[in-house]
Amino acid sequence: MRRAAAALAAFGAALLPGAILLGALLAAASPQVCAEPARALDDYGQLTNPALQARFEHITAQLRCLVCQNESIADSNVELASDLRRQVREMLLAGQSDDAIFKFMTDRYGEFVRFNPPLEAKTLLIWGAPFAMLLLGVLIVYRIVRQRSRLPLDDEPAPGSM
Amino acid sequence: MWKFLLPMGAFVALAVLFAFGLNPNRDIHALPSPLIGKPAPLFNLTDVMDPARTVSNTALKGQVYVLNVWGTWCVACRQEHEALLDIARQNVLPIVGLDYMDQREKAQQWLMQLGNPYTAVAFDTDGRTAIDWGVYGAPETFLVDGQGRVIYKFISPMTPEVWQHDFLPRIQAARRSGA
């Protein structure tokens, strides 16, 4: 059991640089760390109400521009994105809730328009897959480690034989 | 046993994934429309050819019709134009045009030079009708049944083959069931 723990620790140590690198990459990719990305501009400036403007920025960043597909409608300069920003703006000014705006968009463009699909029965696979993969990886490592810990000890070189 | 089954299973799973994902015939930009089976959004817009006239799909209720979204800026629309003219000549059903993100003069020129396959063309000045229909490009072609429900959406240039295989059977089925 000791050997198993030691092997596991060694395995963990081997993974550590990778994990650090991954963490650094994730941190670099998140908007908190890197500079604010350039936003597409419309003729009408910001909303005068800062709370509404904050909601506007949040919502438009969560909606996919279907022309470019990997850009949000907040970032895209495509005409469709501009039309959709106008739509979000008008709905906010009309006092509609975030949910109502997202529903308006998914009713027309489908779930694909949302970068963060809500957790539902049909999106369970998307949300669950990473955890399932992690679990699978842990099981595989556990099996390998357990098998190796059962190997006889005499394959180690005797002290002083080098 | 597991030593054999696990890699085999992984291989089969990957093969299925690649067969789907790398299929050259799959249009990665084509998205399923949430509008299928739902009532077609109503519009009331001006006619491209004559701003004094309106084009509305309310009057088309009870008829199976096609809505074709196009624009003079759209190369693929130029590409499908011959096919649309051909379909119009067969006189199967009304083809309503929705001129999207366009300039009226250019659209008029286009129709006069290339021929007009449309029963009427609505001019979507501000893109609102396009948003209601979930349009994100052109050309897009919708099929609406007699009850005013969207029954099919085709994203890509129309061809005689697509018309033959994807549209005509659906039109016939809609007419049979819709009275």
Side-chain angles (χ1 to χ4, degrees), chain A residues 24-83:
Chain A
L25 281 175
L26 285 176
S30 75
Q32 286 85 3
V33 178
C34 68
E36 188 74 2
R39 291 291 188 224
L41 289 175
D42 293 312
D43 297 336
Y44 30 80
Q46 295 207 328
L47 288 148
T48 39
N49 180 340
L52 279 191
Q53 177 64 26
R55 281 175 60 205
F56 175 81
E57 281 168 17
H58 170 74
I59 293 170
T60 53
Q62 294 290 312
L63 289 172
R64 185 191 301 274
C65 168
L66 290 154
V67 180
C68 4
Q69 300 216 339
N70 286 326
E71 244 181 331
S72 71
I73 65 165
D75 296 328
S76 175
N77 275 315
V78 170
E79 205 163 334
L80 174 66
S82 165
D83 286 350

Side-chain angles (χ1 to χ4, degrees), chain A residues 73-153:
Chain A
I73 65 165
D75 296 328
S76 175
N77 275 315
V78 170
E79 205 163 334
L80 174 66
S82 165
D83 286 350
L84 291 177
R85 282 196 297 273
R86 180 195 59 203
Q87 187 71 40
V88 171
R89 192 187 150 89
E90 285 172 358
M91 291 181 82
L92 282 172
L93 287 172
Q96 304 235 34
S97 70
D98 294 14
D99 282 346
I101 296 173
F102 282 126
K103 186 175 182 316
F104 177 95
M105 295 298 171
T106 48
D107 278 352
R108 283 157 182 77
Y109 292 101
E111 286 298 335
F112 188 65
V113 79
R114 299 190 68 165
F115 276 122
N116 264 328
L119 183 57
E120 296 169 1
K122 63 180 172 187
T123 56
L124 210 58
L125 191 63
I126 305 175
W127 287 106
F131 300 105
M133 299 280 191
L134 185 69
L135 196 67
L136 190 71
V138 167
L139 278 177
I140 290 172
V141 168
Y142 175 74
R143 277 182 61 104
I144 291 172
V145 167
R146 214 183 48 173
Q147 259 172 19
R148 294 218 175 146
S149 70
R150 275 202 298 251
L151 289 177
L153 286 171

Side-chain angles (χ1 to χ4, degrees), chain B residues 127-155:
Chain B
R128 282 174 206 275
T129 301
I131 291 179
D132 277 342
W133 284 75
V135 169
Y136 58 91
E140 289 187 6
T141 308
F142 296 85
L143 184 62
V144 182
D145 74 2
Q147 277 104 56
R149 283 177 316 209
V150 180
I151 50 175
Y152 188 59
K153 177 184 185 181
F154 178 71
I155 303 168

